[in-house]
Amino acid sequence: MLIYFLLQTAFITSIIILSLWIISMIIKDVSIIDTAFAPIIFIITVLSIYLSSAASIFKYIIFIIIFIWTVRLTLLMLQRKLGHGEDSRYTKLREWKKPGLNFNIFALWQVFIKQGIVIWLVTLPIQFLLFTSTTLTLNIFNIFGLIVIAVGFFWECVADIQLNQFKRNNTSKKTFLQSGLWSLSRHPNYFGEIMFWWGIYTFSIVNSLALISIVGPIVFSYLIINVTGVKTMDKRMSQNYDGYSEYINSSNSLIPKIFS
């Protein structure tokens, strides 16, 4: 039954990803996948709740958490995207292949299918929680997970607010943010996001079977640190800002100095 449950969510994820790929060809914008990241996770969560026979308390809690997270992140992504066209990272991908069918097939695998796999894996703790839970009450892992979720979400929200304020008020394009949470590490927003998803995993531990879903936060953390987040941003910032390379050597990338 668990396999059937997972196959259903994987199938719906595939349908959404293929639909976005088709839309991206029509509007010529591959970066719509970034804006759709949180909504897809919300859809998978809602589907999992619908298919689940878990206690209502788990359904309500996970729904509220993912709904709030989805609204915040989607609004943030829309704010950054509207009026700016396709993200430059994806525009550069267009240089790798000939326009038309060659690029579209390349984008299907390189961007959409890979993102779909990541999204589905990230939601594994939610799926395992909702399918395998047989208890009616919260355990110590659930409670601790909620604390980690709250701290991670708060950390990320504050970091993004501080960054937006800095961008609005900064008149010099040659300086980078080093105050507030950004004085404690170079990427507090990524730290908060990683903490949030490890909190989701901890909250999902209702039995030993749920431990398997640790692959979700592991994959997400690896990608944020090594592929799409920390290393990519550090490389870009080093190229665009004087003194950033030296700043890398004197600061923590993720873990705030108060914890290290």
Side-chain angles (χ1 to χ4, degrees):
M1 289 298 292
L2 174 59
I3 298 299
Y4 180 65
F5 181 91
L6 296 174
L7 287 175
Q8 289 182 85
T9 58
F11 176 74
I12 295 300
T13 303
S14 301
I15 294 299
I16 296 172
I17 290 297
L18 288 174
S19 299
L20 287 171
W21 173 62
I22 293 172
I23 294 172
S24 77
M25 289 189 289
I26 296 173
I27 66 175
K28 293 181 170 39
D29 187 348
V30 176
S31 62
I32 60 171
I33 188 65
D34 287 346
T35 309
F37 181 83
I40 297 174
I41 287 180
F42 179 69
I43 291 172
I44 297 173
T45 300
V46 172
L47 175 63
S48 299
I49 290 173
Y50 174 76
L51 297 173
S52 169
S53 58
S56 295
I57 186 172
F58 291 104
K59 292 182 178 181
Y60 286 133
I61 290 175
I62 202 66
F63 176 84
I64 292 171
I65 290 172
I66 298 302
F67 175 76
I68 294 174
W69 173 84
T70 298
V71 170
R72 190 201 79 88
L73 185 58
T74 302
L75 290 176
L76 181 66
M77 296 302 295
L78 285 173
Q79 177 187 3
R80 294 175 177 176
K81 179 172 177 55
L82 292 178
H84 294 87
E86 186 176 60
D87 188 287
S88 59
R89 293 172 299 164
Y90 297 102
T91 302
K92 289 180 179 179
L93 285 180
R94 295 184 180 276
E95 301 173 0
W96 296 14
K97 297 290 180 178
K98 294 181 179 179
L101 182 62
N102 284 341
F103 174 77
N104 290 331
I105 296 299
F106 170 74
L108 173 62
W109 166 247
Q110 189 68 22
V111 178
F112 290 90
I113 292 179
K114 286 185 176 181
Q115 282 270 37
I117 293 172
V118 169
I119 289 170
W120 186 79
L121 289 176
V122 167
T123 62
L124 276 183
I126 297 172
Q127 297 183 57
F128 271 74
L129 162 71
L130 293 171
F131 186 81
T132 66
S133 175
T134 57
T135 181
L136 301 177
T137 58
L138 302 180
N139 62 33
I140 187 65
F141 291 106
N142 305 143
I143 295 172
F144 181 69
L146 289 175
I147 295 173
V148 176
I149 289 168
V151 173
F153 185 76
F154 171 79
W155 203 273
E156 183 178 16
C157 286
V158 173
D160 283 332
I161 290 172
Q162 291 175 345
L163 180 60
N164 287 336
Q165 290 176 340
F166 175 78
K167 288 181 177 180
R168 285 198 303 266
N169 301 328
N170 183 34
T171 57
S172 172
K173 300 300 182 182
K174 296 184 178 297
T175 59
F176 49 90
L177 182 57
Q178 300 183 65
S179 59
L181 295 185
W182 298 81
S183 68
L184 303 177
S185 67
R186 297 194 303 278
H187 306 284
N189 51 346
Y190 292 145
F191 173 76
E193 183 74 355
I194 290 174
M195 193 173 182
F196 176 87
W197 284 105
W198 276 101
I200 292 291
Y201 169 71
T202 307
F203 176 74
S204 77
I205 302 176
V206 289
N207 51 49
S208 57
L209 185 60
L211 294 171
I212 299 173
S213 66
I214 195 173
V215 64
I218 288 177
V219 168
F220 184 76
S221 299
Y222 174 81
L223 291 174
I224 286 291
I225 294 170
N226 295 293
V227 182
T228 63
V230 173
K231 288 190 175 180
T232 299
M233 285 302 299
D234 278 347
K235 181 178 179 180
R236 183 185 301 178
M237 295 289 285
S238 296
Q239 294 172 343
N240 296 334
Y241 295 91
D242 294 336
Y244 194 85
S245 297
E246 292 75 15
Y247 177 57
I248 289 176
N249 297 326
S250 62
S251 61
N252 293 351
S253 60
L254 274 176
I255 301 175
K257 291 180 181 179
I258 56 175
F259 296 144
S260 61

